[in-house]
Amino acid sequence: MHREKTPDGKARIAFIENCYQLYEQKMYQAAYRILYDSARAEDAVQDAFLKLMKGRVYFEDAASDDCKKYIVTVIRHSAIDIYNRKKREQEIICFLDGKTDMDRLSASENREEGGGIKDLISVLPSRYYDVVDCLALKNLSVRETAKRLGISEENVRKRFERAKKRLKKEWNVSA
């Protein structure tokens, strides 16, 4: 049975420790099946445990089916968040040169005229730069970006699309 209110500190710590002992390897495996990258899978497990520590959900029995289902949900969301972050980063690289692997990021960081993603997007007007920075680099959602910039969600999407077109054009001209 779970409670929405956080228990005292000792019970909370014991719950997290029990979850770690019971589920750490299973969480890693679940994350790896989504990410296919051991380092990112480890990051997902760490993120999931941070969410569990900060969260308000508590199960008296960490081995219960309800707890297991909750843990699986948390790790999947953590892994998907990491996957989406990687996808956004790849999207920037992809529309710059048509490649989809992250090795291009390293190569672009070593170019004389560029120093990484920040330098590549620095050619954008501030209205586009801010959107790309929030979405792709800070990993904010469209809603969070819209709120932070004080514009509509549709405007965020449109600016991101225009920024990609502009960067592609800029990249092709200077390459």
Side-chain angles (χ1 to χ4, degrees):
M1 168 181 284
H2 79 76
R3 294 181 275 171
E4 288 298 318
K5 295 194 177 181
T6 306
D8 66 13
K10 289 181 182 178
R12 185 87 182 133
I13 291 169
F15 168 69
I16 297 297
E17 286 175 350
N18 287 340
C19 288
Y20 184 82
Q21 291 171 356
L22 290 170
Y23 303 115
E24 187 263 338
Q25 283 299 312
K26 292 175 185 172
M27 292 170 73
Y28 171 83
Q29 292 167 357
Y32 189 83
R33 283 192 301 267
I34 293 169
L35 299 166
Y36 298 105
D37 183 309
S38 60
R40 284 192 170 90
E42 290 172 4
D43 290 345
V45 171
Q46 181 179 3
D47 289 351
F49 274 107
L50 288 172
K51 288 176 185 177
L52 288 171
M53 286 186 243
K54 292 177 184 177
R56 298 183 61 186
V57 177
Y58 168 77
F59 295 86
E60 290 180 10
D61 180 15
S64 70
D65 286 341
D66 287 339
C67 182
K68 184 177 181 178
K69 288 175 187 175
Y70 180 73
I71 298 285
V72 167
T73 300
V74 171
I75 188 62
R76 282 187 182 156
H77 284 272
S78 293
I80 289 169
D81 288 346
I82 289 172
Y83 175 85
N84 287 336
R85 188 177 320 128
K86 180 182 174 189
K87 185 178 174 185
R88 282 189 198 119
E89 290 169 356
Q90 286 179 333
E91 193 172 77
I92 288 174
I93 303 305
C94 181
F95 71 73
L96 289 177
D97 66 358
K99 305 245 182 194
T100 58
D101 63 63
M102 287 305 289
D103 293 337
R104 291 298 303 155
L105 176 59
S106 299
S108 68
E109 287 174 348
N110 294 329
R111 292 174 60 105
E112 284 182 23
E113 63 272 312
I117 295 285
K118 286 263 188 197
D119 285 344
L120 292 173
I121 65 173
S122 67
V123 299
L124 293 172
S126 64
R127 67 183 180 274
Y128 298 150
Y129 177 91
D130 293 341
V131 169
V132 172
D133 184 50
C134 288
L135 289 175
L137 301 179
K138 294 180 180 164
N139 198 34
L140 298 177
S141 68
V142 171
R143 178 175 288 156
E144 292 166 331
T145 300
K147 187 175 181 180
R148 178 178 277 191
L149 299 178
I151 58 178
S152 70
E153 291 178 30
E154 180 58 33
N155 202 331
V156 168
R157 288 184 196 95
K158 193 54 143 177
R159 286 184 186 184
F160 189 64
E161 180 183 323
R162 288 176 180 163
K164 289 191 298 185
K165 284 180 184 176
R166 203 169 239 203
L167 283 172
K168 186 171 184 170
K169 181 180 175 186
E170 180 73 27
W171 182 261
N172 287 334
V173 169
S174 66

